[in-house]
Amino acid sequence: MRMKELSLRQDPDLRKELALLARGCDFVLPSRFKKRLRAFHAEQGQAGLERRPCTPPPLTKVSEAPVPTALSESIPKFYFPRGRPKANLNIDGLIAKIEKIFSQFPNERATIEDMGKVAKACECPLYWKAPLFNSAGGDRTGFVSVHKFVAMWRKMLQTCHDDVSKFVHLLAKPGCNYLEQEDFIPFLQDVVNSHAGLAFLKEASDFHSRYITTVAQRIFYNVNRSWSGRISCSELRKSSFLQNVALLEQEEDVNQLTEFFSYEHFYVIYCKFWELDTDHDLYIDQRDLARHNDQAISHKMIERIFSGTVTRRLRKDGRLSYADFVWFLISEEDKKTDTSIEYWFRCMDLDGDGVLSMYELEYFYEEQCVKLETMAIEPLPFEDCLCQMLDLVKPEVEGKITLRDLKQCKLSHIFYDTFFNIEKYLDHEQKDPFSVVREAETEGQEISDWEKYAAEEYDILVAEETTTDQYNDG
């Protein structure tokens, strides 16, 4: 269109008339202009036909090149949710070893007492025996035939390629690829029944369920990092749980397995709960929990614990279960682990926005100030305390403390105690600040705060019990 306009303006006969028409002259008749314009277009069209090159032949459809191999076929598989398959795995050879073991039993049937040998033939840790027995139907019939077990184990070898996926498959409900708390009960009951270090519990059957509940809670506390209530294969792989299960066979003293199975740790937790549970129905209310450690925990924090933000098993009347107390006590006595940092962050994050605001910090600090004044101690103004805490945590975004900030600062225990534990806050205030920094730098080289606390409290409880026995005998 632009080229036509330019050529039109260059016509000598029309340029003058166009100029006059642009100035609005009346004597340029529109009909005359239109005739000249049509004649000019006709001449341009004729010239275009003379200059037009030969019409090219119609385009033919180019045949498409053969489709290359799909990209997914050229990239090797890298995701193995059930473990990487082992090359040259001799399944028939493994089955033959199992059949040889079963041939030693009457009618080729194994009872739960025989399953230790079967577990070793399967190249599994000894305390997999109960899950193996139950998975093959032994819990229903009281025994396992060689045919049922071989069929079960052959399928297992074909579908599960590492210890984690096998263990999950053995314990999980049909169709589930995760473990819930009740899935661990038969496995833990067998540990109680057969481990030499727990032989003294055989006569105290009332404590079986208490010990099992404690160990199950500790498993989820350390392994279930997603807080979902379901342990996945991925979470189990990242934990040391299966290594601890394997150590049960080698270690006669379960108290050496402090991460999950220690009876001494269970004893400390249960005795602390027993002191608070005055009616001994395994549930406590807010007033009961407030008495813990001579009312060191603030009432505002106790209200948050009972609000459901970190609990799963609150009764309709709002009371806390023993299982939830296990989480509370471990988190209270060791505020340096990832789970405990998350536990208290959830409690302090009142609006659930993932950030501890200055309002939320002041909300908890107000009660600390009241307690300090009651003890005739002048509290630090909130503005000064806030400056100290921000210097301690060094948040990435000024004025906003996130969970990530607290995990990175290595001094989360001091931060939390400042806002809701008056006794530990005063202990920190009396310490040399340089010693606190040195402790943070050497973290991981010594036993955990929880292990220190459990060892000290166990010694105190044993000493008290010994004194009581001597008094009664005297």
Side-chain angles (χ1 to χ4, degrees), residues 4 33 50 95 100 129-130 168 177 193 229 232 242 245 291 358 361 433:
K4 288 184 177 181
F33 177 76
E50 294 175 355
I95 295 299
K100 184 177 179 180
K129 52 191 176 71
V168 170
N177 59 352
N193 293 340
S232 64
L242 289 186
V245 172
R291 293 188 289 107
M358 302 307 102
L361 298 183

Side-chain angles (χ1 to χ4, degrees), residues 336 410 437-449 451-452:
K336 297 177 183 177
K410 305 299 182 183
V437 174
R438 285 194 298 272
E439 288 178 7
E441 292 175 350
T442 58
E443 182 182 354
Q445 299 177 7
E446 300 178 358
I447 63 174
S448 67
D449 286 354
E451 292 178 37
K452 292 178 184 177

Side-chain angles (χ1 to χ4, degrees), residues 65-76:
V67 179
T69 306
L71 188 60
S72 60
E73 296 180 10
S74 60
I75 297 177

Side-chain angles (χ1 to χ4, degrees), residues 282-301:
L282 295 180
Y283 285 91
I284 57 176
D285 57 22
Q286 293 190 29
R287 288 176 296 178
D288 295 328
L289 188 60
R291 293 188 289 107
H292 173 71
N293 199 17
D294 296 328
Q295 299 185 345
I297 307 295
S298 69
H299 291 285
K300 289 181 178 179
M301 180 53 67

Side-chain angles (χ1 to χ4, degrees), residues 8-74:
L8 188 67
R9 291 181 181 275
Q10 292 171 359
D11 188 302
D13 297 327
L14 290 177
R15 287 176 63 184
K16 185 176 180 180
E17 294 184 18
L18 283 171
L20 294 173
L21 185 61
R23 290 198 297 267
C25 296
D26 295 334
F27 60 86
V28 179
L29 299 177
S31 59
R32 179 185 170 194
F33 177 76
K34 291 180 180 179
K35 290 180 181 178
R36 295 295 303 274
L37 186 60
R38 283 197 296 270
F40 176 80
H41 284 162
E43 292 175 1
Q44 291 293 319
Q46 186 63 29
L49 289 173
E50 294 175 355
R51 293 192 301 267
R52 186 176 298 171
C54 297
T55 305
L59 294 173
T60 57
K61 186 177 180 181
V62 180
S63 59
E64 297 180 356
V67 179
T69 306
L71 188 60
S72 60
E73 296 180 10
S74 60

Side-chain angles (χ1 to χ4, degrees), residues 26 31 86 110 112 178 201 222 253 267-268 272 279 290 319 362 376-377 451-452 454:
D26 295 334
S31 59
K86 297 179 181 179
I112 185 63
Y178 54 81
L201 273 180
N222 291 302
D253 184 6
Y267 188 74
V268 169
K272 289 296 178 182
D279 57 2
R319 293 195 295 165
E362 187 175 16
I377 300 175
E451 292 178 37
K452 292 178 184 177

